[in-house]
Amino acid sequence: MKRVSVIIPNWNGKELLAPCLDSLYRQEFDGFEVILVDNGSDDDSISFVQKNFPQVRIIRFEENRGFSAAVNAGIAASSSLYVALLNNDAVVQPLWLKELVGALDANAEVGSAASKILFFSDPTSVNSAGDEFSWFGVAYQRRLTRGDADHFDTPRYVFSACAAAALYRRELFEKIGLFDEGFFAYHEDVDLGFRAQLAGYRCLFVPTAIAHHKHRATSSRVPSLWFYLKERNKYFVLIKNLPGTLLFICLPLIVFHEGLCLLKAVLRGYPVSYAKALRDVIRDFPRLLRIRSQIQARRNVNNAYVRNLMRFKDPIWIGFYKMGSWIGK
């Protein structure tokens, strides 16, 4: 049995698969298998992989069931000790998998490991160095601005791993469940990371595990859907996971942030997508509360632990930077 199963979700990504898979098969780590889960592609992705990478196991859906369903199918089809997730629009350096596995082997309290993900178009800049969770009720990726790659060279605990390139213990999924398929895509990794933290599993950022990400190579095809899912799913995470006392304390900052999100929707031309996201949060609220009660009942950490995970200054700085780019556009 292989020690690691690398799961790659794919939707019409034929042009992305060769560099992604080539980089995997150049790893300085041998004990892994690759499982490609195809979400109803019609661009010959399957035939391309069968011809050029016959060692890859393929799971095929007839329609696009989203990122969460795809990776869940891959996890269910595997039996390895560790599960790695990798976007089809990512390319990994030769030590990527070895460094991630080494980190989990050496740290029994760690349930997942986050990669240092650089922009493919600008490898001097960080796309994600793990995720953090803010007092504004939303997660954000650890990064500064352009040319910041050298600022993230130290291992440290983070809130959660960006699932574009991450490693998880199978034990974690057995304890807290798989990715929530109700998310379809986006923020499902933050939701899983939050559930993991509540269950007592930590996440470690591993700066020597490096991936290069062609940022939004898939989501840019349907930008209104991307905006809708991001806005809706941030509330799915919040309602399901944030303890009640902290939710009450954060409420003024959450309301303030939501005002900025409304401005963002107007400036970027997505008011309809924004309204649809809020409508669906209200519609799903009873279901989310039922899930919340189950998650909170299984919680193994106290409010002080969760409070110490939350950040305030960094998201303010990042927010002002992003707002400037929205206005500039």
Side-chain angles (χ1 to χ4, degrees):
M1 182 180 70
K2 301 295 187 181
R3 291 197 74 207
V4 182
S5 296
V6 182
I7 299 168
I8 304 174
N10 178 69
W11 176 63
N12 289 331
K14 177 183 175 182
E15 75 282 359
L16 303 169
L17 290 171
C20 176
L21 292 169
D22 279 336
S23 71
L24 268 178
Y25 288 114
R26 290 196 299 268
Q27 292 297 295
E28 295 185 16
F29 180 89
D30 295 327
F32 71 95
E33 64 173 346
V34 179
I35 302 174
L36 181 81
V37 186
D38 188 76
N39 263 319
S41 296
D42 56 11
D43 68 346
D44 297 324
S45 290
I46 298 298
S47 58
F48 173 80
V49 173
Q50 289 173 333
K51 178 181 179 180
N52 295 280
F53 299 93
Q55 66 272 52
V56 173
R57 292 173 58 191
I58 298 174
I59 299 172
R60 186 170 188 174
F61 294 158
E62 294 301 319
E63 68 286 330
N64 188 354
R65 294 172 53 185
F67 179 92
S68 300
V71 296
N72 284 350
I75 295 169
S78 64
S79 57
S80 55
L81 178 65
Y82 297 134
V83 174
L85 302 186
L86 184 65
N87 274 17
N88 62 356
D89 57 1
V91 173
V92 290
Q93 292 192 2
L95 288 174
W96 175 70
L97 202 49
K98 182 178 181 179
E99 294 295 321
L100 290 177
V101 171
L104 290 192
D105 282 347
N107 296 276
E109 80 284 3
V110 172
S112 59
S115 304
K116 183 177 183 179
I117 304 176
L118 307 175
F119 286 103
F120 188 88
S121 59
D122 179 10
T124 67
S125 300
V126 171
N127 180 187
S128 176
D131 293 333
E132 298 287 9
F133 199 83
S134 77
W135 284 92
F136 295 87
V138 293
Y140 64 96
Q141 292 177 323
R142 290 181 66 230
R143 62 187 185 208
L144 299 174
T145 57
R146 295 297 179 186
D148 62 355
D150 292 339
H151 293 276
F152 297 97
D153 286 337
T154 304
R156 55 161 289 179
Y157 293 118
V158 294
F159 186 80
S160 61
C162 173
L167 186 70
Y168 302 86
R169 292 187 192 276
R170 178 169 300 278
E171 169 194 322
L172 183 148
F173 297 117
E174 293 171 347
K175 291 289 182 64
I176 69 170
L178 301 179
F179 290 88
D180 187 337
E181 296 185 14
F183 281 61
F184 189 81
Y186 307 111
H187 290 305
E188 69 289 305
D189 49 359
V190 177
D191 173 67
L192 184 89
F194 211 143
R195 287 187 278 133
Q197 291 284 2
L198 293 176
Y201 289 98
R202 307 190 78 174
C203 179
L204 181 67
F205 167 62
V206 184
T208 49
I210 299 174
H212 299 261
H213 187 209
K214 299 176 182 177
H215 184 56
R216 294 189 62 192
T218 299
S219 62
S220 60
R221 304 171 191 168
V222 280
S224 61
L225 177 63
W226 168 81
F227 188 88
Y228 156 73
L229 290 172
K230 295 276 278 189
E231 290 299 310
R232 184 196 67 173
N233 291 352
K234 71 183 182 186
Y235 276 104
F236 283 9
V237 172
L238 186 66
I239 294 168
K240 288 175 59 179
N241 298 289
L242 188 62
T245 301
L246 296 177
L247 183 60
F248 179 77
I249 294 172
C250 291
L251 190 57
L253 293 176
I254 293 171
V255 172
F256 171 75
H257 179 265
E258 199 55 40
L260 295 180
C261 290
L262 176 57
L263 176 61
K264 173 184 175 181
V266 173
L267 291 176
R268 300 186 67 173
Y270 297 130
V272 174
S273 297
Y274 177 82
K276 181 182 176 184
L278 292 186
R279 179 203 68 190
D280 288 353
V281 169
I282 294 171
R283 181 198 65 190
D284 286 346
F285 193 69
R287 178 184 66 86
L288 295 170
L289 285 182
R290 289 193 297 271
I291 299 173
R292 173 187 175 83
S293 66
Q294 298 169 3
I295 293 172
Q296 299 302 319
R298 295 194 300 263
R299 180 154 61 109
N300 291 327
V301 298
N302 58 26
N303 285 350
Y305 178 90
V306 180
R307 186 175 64 247
N308 289 334
L309 294 172
M310 299 171 69
R311 303 289 178 261
F312 183 73
K313 292 182 180 179
D314 287 348
I316 290 179
W317 190 93
I318 293 171
F320 277 117
Y321 177 78
K322 286 185 176 180
M323 184 60 67
S325 67
W326 300 334
I327 295 172
K329 291 179 180 180

